[in-house]
């Protein structure tokens, strides 16, 4: 007879804040199960226990087996789980993290559904990339052109700084190894940045699919958000990694370099602040969780958990 093990669901107050968590962890060729509040990772070299509440996003590579109990723990602890290709170079599926407030999601839906408000958020994103210029009057076409020129300059500047040859950006989805070392490094660096961006977005309760610049993809907002940090995080890291290691295990070396960059720059803390600024503006202070109301078109928000009843017209006569 099997003994049934009962686990207590993690309380919201017990979870580490998103900005305080370790960034991401990549695992391949291992079996994941649960040991109390930790994910047990077992492979041919032994067993490691990972406290679930301190991981932001878990990347599951080839050869990973996951028990139902392990997935339950990941969901309860608010950990984003992404199934990826070898060394994280492709993304196949994701498990949504725990969200208990719809405040950011409702704000995002309102902003993306109104053309004027959507443009204002898109301009905010571009303004963050051009802090010394006023882009509030520029059209989306002009802004796309400015951004394209900025990224091209960034590639050339880092090529000159590191001595890594640069021609153009190219990436074959089905043939990662055919790329040049710098293109492979850029792909790996951007994938890591997408993973962290996705983790922050869903951990705070926003939608990865409701993009303001990108659209039509279930990760449109992830691409929007990650683009804010490529010039300062993933592009420099890719060039520096190739300059140091050449083509030797470039995907793994880049992923580890991105992990170190995330921790050193405390990027996740900045992402949390930036996301709230984009979607809530000056209202970002005091974001709460575990709030539930009933919507009413005339009376506004009404209390949840109250037994309402229909008032008869004859009452009071």
């Amino acid at each position: 007879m099997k003994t049934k093990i009962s686990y207590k669901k993690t309380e919201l107050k017990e979870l580490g804040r998103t900005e305080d968590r370790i960034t991401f962890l990549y695992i391949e060729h291992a079996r994941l199960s649960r040991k109390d509040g930790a994910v047990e990772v077992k492979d041919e070299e032994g067993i490691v226990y990972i406290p679930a509440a301190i991981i932001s996003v878990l990347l599951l590579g080839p050869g990973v087996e996951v028990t139902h109990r392990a997935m339950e723990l990941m969901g309860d602890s608010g950990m984003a789980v992404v199934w990826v290709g070898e060394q994280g170079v492709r993304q196949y599926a994701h498990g949504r993290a725990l969200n208990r407030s719809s405040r950011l999601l409702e704000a995002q839906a309102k902003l993306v559904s109104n053309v004027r408000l959507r443009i204002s958020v898109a301009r905010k994103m571009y303004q963050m990339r051009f802090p010394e210029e006023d882009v509030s009057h520029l059209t989306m076409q002009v802004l796309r052109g400015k951004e394209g020129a900025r990224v091209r300059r960034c590639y050339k500047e880092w090529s000159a700084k590191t001595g890594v040859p640069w021609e153009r950006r190219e990436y074959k989805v089905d043939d990662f190894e055919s790329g040049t070392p710098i293109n492979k490094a850029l792909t790996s660096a951007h994938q890591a940045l997408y993973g962290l961006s996705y983790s922050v977005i869903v951990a705070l309760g926003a939608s990865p699919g409701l993009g303001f610049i990108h659209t039509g993809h279930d990760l449109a907002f992830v691409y929007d958000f990650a683009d804010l940090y490529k010039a300062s995080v993933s592009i420099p890291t890719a060039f520096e990694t190739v300059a140091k290691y050449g083509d030797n295990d470039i995907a793994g070396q880049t992923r580890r370099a991105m992990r170190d960059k995330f921790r050193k720059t405390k990027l996740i803390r900045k992402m949390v602040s930036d996301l709230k600024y984009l979607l809530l503006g000056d209202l970002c202070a005091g974001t709460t969780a575990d709030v539930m109301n009933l919507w009413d078109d005339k009376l506004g928000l009404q209390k949840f958990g109250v037994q309402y009843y229909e008032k008869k017209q004859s009452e009071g006569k």
Side-chain angles (χ1 to χ4, degrees):
M1 175 182 288
K2 293 184 178 180
T3 303
K4 184 177 180 180
I5 301 176
S6 178
Y7 292 105
K8 173 180 172 292
K9 185 174 180 179
T10 308
E11 297 291 339
L12 185 64
K13 63 183 179 182
E14 298 176 307
L15 300 179
R17 295 186 306 171
T18 301
E19 57 263 45
D20 291 336
R21 295 186 178 209
I22 296 172
T23 51
F24 69 92
L25 181 66
Y26 172 79
I27 297 175
E28 63 178 29
H29 301 294
R31 186 177 190 274
L32 276 58
S33 55
R34 176 175 183 170
K35 179 66 174 178
D36 298 324
V39 177
E40 181 185 86
V41 182
K42 183 178 181 180
D43 63 10
E44 58 185 13
E45 297 183 3
I47 298 176
V48 175
Y49 296 100
I50 304 168
I54 67 170
I55 299 296
S56 181
V57 59
L58 189 63
L59 303 178
L60 303 182
V64 171
E65 296 181 8
V66 189
T67 67
H68 183 277
R69 283 299 187 186
M71 289 303 304
E72 181 182 54
L73 174 62
M74 294 173 199
D76 285 348
S77 62
M79 183 192 305
V81 183
V82 186
W83 284 264
V84 298
E86 188 174 7
Q87 298 298 332
V89 297
R90 296 192 65 182
Q91 180 171 326
Y92 297 112
H94 61 267
R96 186 168 182 173
L98 179 67
N99 303 313
R100 295 187 184 176
S101 171
S102 63
R103 186 183 183 195
L104 277 169
L105 180 59
E106 291 178 8
Q108 182 182 12
K110 178 181 178 180
L111 292 168
V112 81
S113 301
N114 179 287
V115 174
R116 180 180 60 81
L117 295 176
R118 183 171 184 169
I119 291 175
S120 71
V121 175
R123 284 176 174 153
K124 264 188 181 181
M125 291 182 171
Y126 284 116
Q127 187 67 72
M128 293 169 70
R129 287 172 257 190
F130 300 97
E132 298 179 358
E133 300 181 39
D134 179 12
V135 303
S136 61
H137 63 288
L138 300 181
T139 64
M140 294 300 294
Q141 294 91 331
V142 172
L143 289 169
R144 284 195 298 269
K146 286 179 66 65
E147 172 65 0
R150 183 183 76 103
V151 173
R152 286 192 294 273
R153 286 196 305 271
C154 187
Y155 286 141
K156 291 180 179 179
E157 289 171 1
W158 279 101
S159 175
K161 287 180 181 179
T162 60
V164 174
W166 173 255
E167 292 184 5
R168 63 183 180 277
R169 177 74 175 115
E170 55 183 4
Y171 167 52
K172 295 181 180 179
V173 175
D174 298 320
D175 192 5
F176 174 78
E177 293 299 332
S178 68
T180 61
I182 184 55
N183 270 293
K184 288 192 287 187
L186 285 167
T187 296
S188 298
H190 292 338
Q191 287 286 351
L193 187 59
Y194 294 148
L196 185 62
S197 298
Y198 167 79
S199 176
V200 170
I201 288 169
V202 298
L204 293 182
S207 168
L210 296 181
F212 295 88
I213 298 172
H214 295 84
T215 190
H217 193 280
D218 64 342
L219 296 178
F221 189 50
V222 173
Y223 300 138
D224 278 1
F225 197 55
D227 279 353
L228 298 175
Y229 312 103
K230 285 183 177 178
S232 60
V233 178
S234 56
I235 293 176
T237 301
F239 276 92
E240 290 169 347
T241 303
V242 173
K244 185 174 182 178
Y245 298 103
D247 200 16
N248 180 31
D249 185 25
I250 194 61
Q253 296 290 1
T254 303
R255 176 174 53 81
R256 287 185 284 274
M258 287 291 287
R259 174 199 61 197
D260 294 341
K261 176 79 79 170
F262 292 162
R263 183 170 57 242
K264 181 179 179 181
T265 62
K266 298 182 179 179
L267 180 61
I268 195 169
R269 186 182 296 274
K270 178 171 174 52
M271 282 182 163
V272 169
S273 176
D274 288 345
L275 184 62
K276 291 180 180 179
Y277 163 70
L278 289 171
L279 300 183
L280 297 178
D282 296 335
L283 301 176
C284 62
T287 301
T288 58
D290 259 348
V291 175
M292 179 80 78
N293 291 293
L294 300 178
W295 179 82
D296 188 286
D297 61 331
K298 295 182 175 62
L299 302 177
L301 298 180
Q302 299 296 295
K303 289 183 178 180
F304 168 75
V306 176
Q307 185 66 49
Y308 292 93
Y309 64 94
E310 181 181 4
K311 291 185 178 181
K312 298 180 180 179
Q313 293 183 354
S314 60
E315 284 186 15
K317 291 184 180 180

